[in-house]
């Protein structure tokens, strides 16, 4: 994938999925977290979400430096994207089976009882 339309298409898909993820997670948190704790929970979520970005950038740079020592620069600049994709698939494989509709419904029901 070296043409700009394919890169544009993949970035558009990434932005769409990221937006969808944010809407779903914020809506779910707002439905199950008590109002008096919602600000704290959101701040912790944001801390880990945004706080990992500089660490990810540093790891991406480190991957490029390491791969650049034995492969071409073009390959080295693509490897962090492949590693990120592999990590995302791994997280999905681990978390996907655990994130069931029944568990979300149970969490919403428990939150409704507590309110």
């Amino acid at each position: 994938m070296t043409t700009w339309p394919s890169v544009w298409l993949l970035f558009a898909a990434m932005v769409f999925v990221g937006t969808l993820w944010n809407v779903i997670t914020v809506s779910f948190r707002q439905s199950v977290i008590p109002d008096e704790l919602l600000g704290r929970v959101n701040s912790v979520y944001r801390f880990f979400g945004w706080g990992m970005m500089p660490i990810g950038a540093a790891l991406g740079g480190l991957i490029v430096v390491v791969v650049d020592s034995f492969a071409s620069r073009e390959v080295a600049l693509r490897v962090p994207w492949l590693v990120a994709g592999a990590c995302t698939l791994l997280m999905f494989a681990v978390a996907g089976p655990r994130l069931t509709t029944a568990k979300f419904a149970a969490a919403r029901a428990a939150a409704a009882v507590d309110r």
Side-chain angles (χ1 to χ4, degrees), residues 10-95:
L10 289 173
F11 268 100
M14 185 175 68
V15 168
F16 175 75
V17 170
T19 302
L20 189 63
W21 172 261
N22 284 332
V23 169
I24 291 169
T25 57
V26 169
S27 299
F28 181 70
R29 277 198 316 269
Q30 288 176 345
S31 68
V32 298
I33 304 296
D35 291 340
E36 60 273 6
L37 294 177
L38 189 57
R40 292 179 181 157
V41 171
N42 281 335
S43 68
V44 170
Y45 186 86
R46 233 180 234 193
F47 170 77
F48 284 110
W50 289 90
M52 293 297 117
M53 289 181 187
I55 295 169
L59 287 174
L62 182 63
I63 290 170
V64 169
V65 168
V66 170
V67 174
D68 197 30
S69 67
F70 62 85
S72 70
R73 184 70 167 177
E74 185 176 339
V75 170
L77 290 172
R78 292 178 184 202
V79 170
W81 290 98
L82 297 173
V83 170
C87 288
T88 302
L89 289 175
L90 178 65
M91 285 187 293
F92 180 74
V94 171

